[in-house]
Amino acid sequence: MAAFLSASLGVFAPSETYTLPMISSSWEPQPDSMLSSGPSTGSTGAPAVAEPTEQGPKNPRVSSVTVQLEMKALWEEFNQLGTEMIVTKAGRRMFPTFQVKILGMDTLADYALLMDFVPLDDKRYRYAFHSSAWLVAGKADPATPGRVHFHPDSPAKGAQWMRQIVSFDKLKLTNNLLDDNGHIILNSMHRYQPRFHVVFVDPRKDSERYAQENFKSFIFVETQFTAVTAYQNHRITQLKIASNPFAKGFRESDPDPWPISPRPLLSVPTRSRSSLGPCLLKGSTEREKDPKKAFTSRIPARLHHQLLARHEALLAPATYPPVTYQGLYPGASGPVRPRARPTPYTLPNIQTNRDQGVLPLPVGLGLLSPTAMCLGPGQDPQ
């Protein structure tokens, strides 16, 4: 496998790029045409474009391999607008996800599947919002470290690869040059072309000699994109929200899959003639208006019936037995009356001093009763 990476795969050096037939200083996505409005999820049999390099003669176990791009219509719809892929420091997955259907493998042979990304040119771009077009902003930044992403199931038998659709949903793009998680490192505001490689795991001891023959590369032009840290074209944002199942939270038209019934607001009950609690009256009123709420309103009514007595008992006059001192003092023969004690000092004469408008000292100290202190001129106590 190491021999394949060093000799056969030919990962681009920093000065090499994938040449694109484009001369102008700006590029614009193709206008909308003959594309369905909804994304396609099935295999469309998209023919793979042969890599524009001399691959030489190939091993029969890889020469007959063909690859079909899944969701081709969706990729083309993005490509017409100018596909953008988010790159973050922590790494971000691609959408649309790169998925392929593989045919023509040897069912008993072992194969490894991997991807890499090559720059389309040596330029750096910027997005002009007034014209909705990408413009050349200058020379490309220094090339990022070339990395490849192996499918986590590699290596596996050809029968396993051809049994189902191969998805690179674990692949992440990052702009962190010091990334140590194995993510693909890309420069923001640069254009890239994904490449897909099928490698035959040669069991021979001298497999390094046949490294150039044991792999086959595939390129789909509609999968090229511009790496960005934030979406520039608002139409790309809208299309990703509309077609990405994981972006459902951004859609305003979709109903909430988990509706939550609003909680009733607490309100102050109005005063009523009855002394019953407002919750008891409210429960009976709700059951009359809406029978469906009988279950919810019945529960608090039961609790109140258990805690409170009947309203007839609450409104009935009190019939308590009179309290007698004979019950408290068994030795008393008759009703016990409090004894009158003499005052420790002589009470002042209010009638004499009220005409003078001067209160004696004990009144100022609050020693008189409240009734005597509230009397005014010309008023006699009763």
Side-chain angles (χ1 to χ4, degrees), residues 25-26 123-127 134-140 189:
S25 60
S26 65
K123 297 178 177 61
R124 189 178 189 275
Y125 291 88
R126 66 178 180 87
Y127 188 77
W134 287 92
L135 305 177
V136 175
K139 192 176 181 180
M189 296 298 182

Tab-separated table of all heavy atoms in Angstrom, residues 25-26 123-127 134-140 189:
chain	number	residue	atom	x	y	z
A	25	SER	N	-10.377	35.580	-16.143
A	25	SER	CA	-10.020	35.857	-14.757
A	25	SER	C	-11.166	35.622	-13.802
A	25	SER	O	-10.994	35.791	-12.605
A	25	SER	CB	-9.565	37.319	-14.625
A	25	SER	OG	-10.614	38.185	-15.027
A	26	SER	N	-12.315	35.257	-14.273
A	26	SER	CA	-13.457	34.952	-13.412
A	26	SER	C	-14.231	33.818	-14.035
A	26	SER	O	-14.118	33.541	-15.222
A	26	SER	CB	-14.356	36.178	-13.238
A	26	SER	OG	-14.932	36.542	-14.476
A	123	LYS	N	-4.862	29.782	-8.491
A	123	LYS	CA	-5.447	31.084	-8.190
A	123	LYS	C	-6.255	31.024	-6.900
A	123	LYS	O	-6.721	29.961	-6.485
A	123	LYS	CB	-6.350	31.556	-9.346
A	123	LYS	CG	-5.631	31.775	-10.660
A	123	LYS	CD	-6.595	32.189	-11.738
A	123	LYS	CE	-5.883	32.476	-13.046
A	123	LYS	NZ	-5.172	31.278	-13.557
A	124	ARG	N	-6.393	32.191	-6.343
A	124	ARG	CA	-7.241	32.377	-5.176
A	124	ARG	C	-8.433	33.236	-5.593
A	124	ARG	O	-8.276	34.182	-6.370
A	124	ARG	CB	-6.470	33.052	-4.039
A	124	ARG	CG	-7.217	33.094	-2.710
A	124	ARG	CD	-6.340	33.731	-1.640
A	124	ARG	NE	-6.926	33.606	-0.308
A	124	ARG	CZ	-7.807	34.426	0.202
A	124	ARG	NH1	-8.212	35.487	-0.511
A	124	ARG	NH2	-8.281	34.231	1.412
A	125	TYR	N	-9.616	32.921	-5.083
A	125	TYR	CA	-10.834	33.569	-5.554
A	125	TYR	C	-11.509	34.355	-4.423
A	125	TYR	O	-11.227	34.164	-3.234
A	125	TYR	CB	-11.814	32.520	-6.095
A	125	TYR	CG	-11.353	31.860	-7.373
A	125	TYR	CD1	-10.549	30.725	-7.338
A	125	TYR	CD2	-11.714	32.368	-8.616
A	125	TYR	CE1	-10.112	30.115	-8.504
A	125	TYR	CE2	-11.290	31.770	-9.793
A	125	TYR	CZ	-10.491	30.650	-9.731
A	125	TYR	OH	-10.062	30.035	-10.884
A	126	ARG	N	-12.371	35.249	-4.829
A	126	ARG	CA	-13.255	35.966	-3.924
A	126	ARG	C	-14.613	36.072	-4.599
A	126	ARG	O	-14.732	36.041	-5.827
A	126	ARG	CB	-12.713	37.368	-3.605
A	126	ARG	CG	-12.688	38.319	-4.805
A	126	ARG	CD	-12.179	39.694	-4.397
A	126	ARG	NE	-12.138	40.619	-5.535
A	126	ARG	CZ	-13.159	41.357	-5.937
A	126	ARG	NH1	-14.321	41.287	-5.281
A	126	ARG	NH2	-13.060	42.158	-6.978
A	127	TYR	N	-15.648	36.219	-3.770
A	127	TYR	CA	-17.013	36.251	-4.299
A	127	TYR	C	-17.501	37.686	-4.357
A	127	TYR	O	-17.454	38.417	-3.355
A	127	TYR	CB	-17.947	35.407	-3.433
A	127	TYR	CG	-19.322	35.231	-4.024
A	127	TYR	CD1	-19.549	34.334	-5.058
A	127	TYR	CD2	-20.404	35.948	-3.534
A	127	TYR	CE1	-20.808	34.159	-5.598
A	127	TYR	CE2	-21.679	35.781	-4.062
A	127	TYR	CZ	-21.868	34.889	-5.105
A	127	TYR	OH	-23.118	34.715	-5.649
A	134	TRP	N	-17.743	34.563	-8.971
A	134	TRP	CA	-16.428	34.393	-8.355
A	134	TRP	C	-15.387	35.086	-9.228
A	134	TRP	O	-15.356	34.898	-10.445
A	134	TRP	CB	-16.092	32.916	-8.213
A	134	TRP	CG	-16.865	32.227	-7.125
A	134	TRP	CD1	-18.057	31.573	-7.246
A	134	TRP	CD2	-16.492	32.134	-5.756
A	134	TRP	NE1	-18.448	31.080	-6.038
A	134	TRP	CE2	-17.509	31.408	-5.090
A	134	TRP	CE3	-15.410	32.597	-5.015
A	134	TRP	CZ2	-17.465	31.124	-3.740
A	134	TRP	CZ3	-15.372	32.319	-3.663
A	134	TRP	CH2	-16.382	31.592	-3.028
A	135	LEU	N	-14.523	35.862	-8.597
A	135	LEU	CA	-13.467	36.585	-9.294
A	135	LEU	C	-12.114	36.158	-8.754
A	135	LEU	O	-11.978	35.764	-7.592
A	135	LEU	CB	-13.642	38.098	-9.112
A	135	LEU	CG	-15.001	38.688	-9.511
A	135	LEU	CD1	-15.030	40.184	-9.193
A	135	LEU	CD2	-15.293	38.434	-10.983
A	136	VAL	N	-11.119	36.253	-9.606
A	136	VAL	CA	-9.759	35.913	-9.194
A	136	VAL	C	-9.236	37.014	-8.281
A	136	VAL	O	-9.266	38.196	-8.628
A	136	VAL	CB	-8.850	35.731	-10.421
A	136	VAL	CG1	-7.400	35.497	-9.985
A	136	VAL	CG2	-9.353	34.570	-11.281
A	137	ALA	N	-8.770	36.615	-7.097
A	137	ALA	CA	-8.264	37.576	-6.113
A	137	ALA	C	-6.745	37.618	-6.057
A	137	ALA	O	-6.188	38.489	-5.384
A	137	ALA	CB	-8.807	37.242	-4.725
A	138	GLY	N	-6.080	36.720	-6.732
A	138	GLY	CA	-4.623	36.716	-6.716
A	138	GLY	C	-4.086	35.312	-6.885
A	138	GLY	O	-4.803	34.372	-7.267
A	139	LYS	N	-2.802	35.187	-6.591
A	139	LYS	CA	-2.139	33.896	-6.714
A	139	LYS	C	-2.535	32.987	-5.567
A	139	LYS	O	-2.861	33.441	-4.467
A	139	LYS	CB	-0.625	34.097	-6.738
A	139	LYS	CG	0.156	32.858	-7.143
A	139	LYS	CD	1.638	33.161	-7.243
A	139	LYS	CE	2.411	31.918	-7.663
A	139	LYS	NZ	3.872	32.184	-7.768
A	140	ALA	N	-2.479	31.707	-5.827
A	140	ALA	CA	-2.893	30.732	-4.821
A	140	ALA	C	-1.964	30.749	-3.619
A	140	ALA	O	-0.772	31.087	-3.726
A	140	ALA	CB	-2.938	29.338	-5.436
A	189	MET	N	-11.159	29.551	-0.129
A	189	MET	CA	-11.253	30.369	-1.337
A	189	MET	C	-10.389	29.827	-2.483
A	189	MET	O	-9.931	30.578	-3.334
A	189	MET	CB	-10.883	31.824	-1.039
A	189	MET	CG	-11.830	32.504	-0.074
A	189	MET	SD	-13.507	32.588	-0.736
A	189	MET	CE	-14.349	33.478	0.572
